Amino acid sequence: MTARGIALLAGVALLAGCARTDPPSPAATAKADNGEAYYGTLEPFASHAVYFVVTDRFVNGDTSNDQREQGGAHRTFDVPTPDAPAGESDNIGYLGGDFKGVADNAGYIRDMGFGAVWITPIADNPNEAFTGGKPITWGSSLTDRGKTGYHGYWGVDFYRLDEHLPSAGLDFAGFTRAMHAQDLKVVLDIVGNHGSPAYTMPKPQPMFGQIFDKDGKLIADHQNLPPAELDPRRNPLHAFYNTGGGLAELSDFNENNPAVLEYLVGAYEQWIGQGADAFRIDTIGWMPDAFWHRFTTRIRDKHPGFFMFGEDFNYDAGKIAHHTWPQNAGASVLDFPLKQGLDEVFGRKRAGFERLREPLHLQDGPYANPYELMTFYDNHDMARMDATDEGFIDAHNWLFTARGIPVIYYGSEIGFMRGRAEHAGNRNYFGQQRVDAARTHPIRERLKRIADLRAQSPALQRGLQVNLELQGDRAAFYRVYQREGEHQIALVLLNKGDAPARFELLDVQPGAWRGAFGGQVVEAAAGTALAVDVQPHDVQVLLLDVPVSLPALRTQLSAAMGKARHR
């Protein structure tokens, strides 16, 4: 146990009662729960925190698949972003990350306490840099001229692996087997609304704007025409696409063409058959609810309970919650509204914990179930969180104890490229050297501690959340899981301030509360108050593995149970 862990446990004291180190008595765990069930979610995937990698930018485990000569005049490997300031770097070409680089470091990821790895799309992408679109400048967005498909989101053959990813003996099925052997689930990023950039090229380029079927036959071609000039009634190769709208210069799939759904379902079922455990759905908001309902229904007809979460880049909960409803996609979503608050609370602004109260939507909220949302503070499509080391530690202490399923972007365990946006270093190459050095970084050490705890705690994974205090640098809340004979109450106390904080808790449930970091047991008798000291930028979690008996807490839990899920 670390010195800080000892100090934290030494700070736990009863204002009335006494502390002891022996385990709870049998009588303390024998109370009946009277059939009352308290839980936030029963979703199995909620057990797994997620580590997100842009595969090409994580680790180059096999240089033989780098394709360094690919693209000719429009090369694809190592293309520096134009206009980088002195001392800065960014790249819009491939940099060599692959399945082997992730698989070789599965133990590193698992050791941090993660149960799943989200990888970027694996479909075959074009073999040249794009010559159309708007020119890329330092820090620009929705600009693609000179860019490659290193990120995987420019699919042209959704049945075929991009050649930059596999190695001998390590195709996608081999990759998922390797990850499963390390007790890691694989979340596959999928795209359902667009293919590759499709028009504005000075002259047509191979593969751009095209779609190939599972036999390699061309079934769709934008032919370098703007959407308004497509003629789907006369040209079958145009029927895959819409004739208006769309994102940047990407080919925009026609949601009303049954062939589009059949193609996507067939391709993504193939990858489930090779070991994908869950899907992250890119740009879910760009296709209508009816399309996604058909898609998710088809997937779950063959794979009941298959977990999916979507990306709708919007900070208004009322505008993204509909994806979670069963009559629509029935999928979870990335929690952008909470993300906005997390960045303010744990970034340079250092807003108070009260900023997080509203976006939690613990009761009467718009989501089908807020406990199944994917919680995060940054990713590859926005600036990385700009925070101190302590800010990252505080953010992780929150994410791994509060409601939701935490997602951490690669490199955040060392504060990698903090504050950097796309085309300004956000997706820079991490590499084996940084992985090896990261093991002793203070952010990673503290991340591992709290992530390991969540991985072992049913209350932190799936329990209802009842807030006691969210104000300034202090947060206190219960997480409670009680169902079918399994009982756990977690009391979470967070201090993101620069000085120690004392939490004085009245009317605490009687029992033998166990310190999560070290195991010291504190006996609380009826009518006593509990005082807990939490060190700066730290967390204390006390656990009680008995049914809820405190009347006031039972009343709060019953209300939360009835109002947490959208009806």
Side-chain angles (χ1 to χ4, degrees), residues 111-456:
D111 182 64
M112 274 191 286
F114 291 95
V117 178
W118 157 16
I119 61 171
T120 40
I122 61 176
D124 195 23
N125 275 230
N127 296 336
E128 295 181 354
F130 182 51
T131 59
K134 302 175 185 67
I136 292 174
T137 57
W138 184 260
S140 63
S141 62
L142 297 179
T143 54
D144 291 326
R145 187 182 303 172
K147 196 172 187 175
T148 66
Y150 72 88
H151 43 71
Y153 294 97
W154 291 355
V156 295
D157 187 340
F158 289 57
Y159 285 87
R160 181 180 178 183
L161 275 180
D162 190 89
E163 65 275 9
H164 296 84
L165 298 174
S167 300
L170 197 69
D171 58 7
F172 184 67
F175 170 72
T176 60
R177 285 195 297 270
M179 301 303 282
H180 294 161
Q182 291 287 336
D183 200 23
L184 287 166
K185 303 285 187 184
V186 175
V187 179
L188 178 61
D189 205 327
I190 68 168
V191 183
N193 86 294
H194 70 260
S196 60
Y199 54 100
T200 69
M201 293 168 279
K203 61 179 181 179
Q205 293 180 264
M207 303 173 76
F208 283 97
Q210 297 181 329
I211 296 292
F212 298 86
D213 70 8
K214 62 181 179 181
D215 299 317
K217 177 185 175 182
L218 180 69
I219 59 172
D221 193 344
H222 225 279
Q223 299 178 327
N224 202 24
L225 296 171
E229 295 182 21
L230 296 175
D231 189 0
R233 288 184 295 178
R234 292 185 176 87
N235 188 337
L237 291 177
H238 294 176
F240 221 77
Y241 303 126
N242 282 314
T243 56
L247 181 65
E249 291 78 29
L250 298 172
S251 55
D252 192 72
F253 293 165
N254 180 2
E255 66 274 16
N256 297 312
N257 183 348
V260 171
L261 181 66
E262 292 301 320
Y263 179 83
L264 294 171
V265 168
Y268 293 134
E269 282 188 342
Q270 170 184 291
W271 302 123
I272 294 174
Q274 295 186 28
D277 298 291
F279 286 159
R280 179 264 189 183
I281 303 174
D282 184 64
T283 54
I284 193 172
W286 285 80
M287 294 290 251
D289 290 329
F291 176 87
W292 289 120
H293 182 75
R294 292 192 294 270
F295 177 86
T296 58
T297 299
R298 290 277 300 276
I299 294 295
R300 288 172 177 150
D301 280 347
K302 288 190 176 180
H303 310 281
F306 192 82
F307 188 72
M308 297 177 245
F309 61 95
E311 174 238 5
D312 191 340
F313 199 137
N314 195 306
Y315 294 123
D316 185 341
K319 294 181 178 178
I320 67 174
H322 63 96
H323 301 299
T324 70
W325 302 345
Q327 66 269 33
N328 298 328
S332 176
V333 290
L334 287 156
D335 193 348
F336 280 89
L338 183 63
K339 176 267 168 212
Q340 190 176 44
L342 295 174
D343 192 44
E344 294 177 13
V345 171
F346 302 113
R348 301 292 178 178
K349 188 175 179 179
R350 292 193 65 175
F353 274 112
E354 65 273 11
R355 173 65 178 83
L356 303 180
R357 184 180 296 109
E358 187 275 334
L360 283 173
H361 293 290
L362 296 179
Q363 295 187 32
D364 298 320
Y367 301 106
N369 190 334
Y371 291 89
E372 295 172 6
L373 301 181
M374 312 303 292
T375 54
F376 69 108
Y377 51 73
D378 66 14
N379 64 25
H380 60 320
D381 287 330
M382 60 184 63
R384 285 180 180 256
M385 187 169 71
D386 188 11
T388 62
D389 284 8
E390 291 80 10
F392 280 96
I393 290 168
D394 292 332
H396 297 153
N397 286 339
W398 169 274
L399 280 176
F400 285 79
T401 56
R403 73 103 174 107
I405 303 171
V407 180
I408 302 297
Y409 187 30
Y410 80 95
S412 296
E413 65 269 29
I414 63 169
F416 182 58
M417 302 310 295
R418 63 190 82 192
R420 307 305 177 84
E422 183 185 5
H423 300 152
N426 173 290
R427 304 178 186 178
N428 276 5
Y429 181 72
F430 198 55
Q432 192 63 52
Q433 186 174 355
R434 286 192 180 92
V435 169
D436 294 341
R439 293 180 183 275
T440 57
H441 196 284
I443 298 177
R444 186 187 186 275
E445 288 180 337
R446 300 291 294 281
L447 169 60
K448 171 178 167 55
R449 183 181 75 154
I450 196 65
D452 282 346
L453 175 59
R454 185 187 188 277
Q456 299 163 10

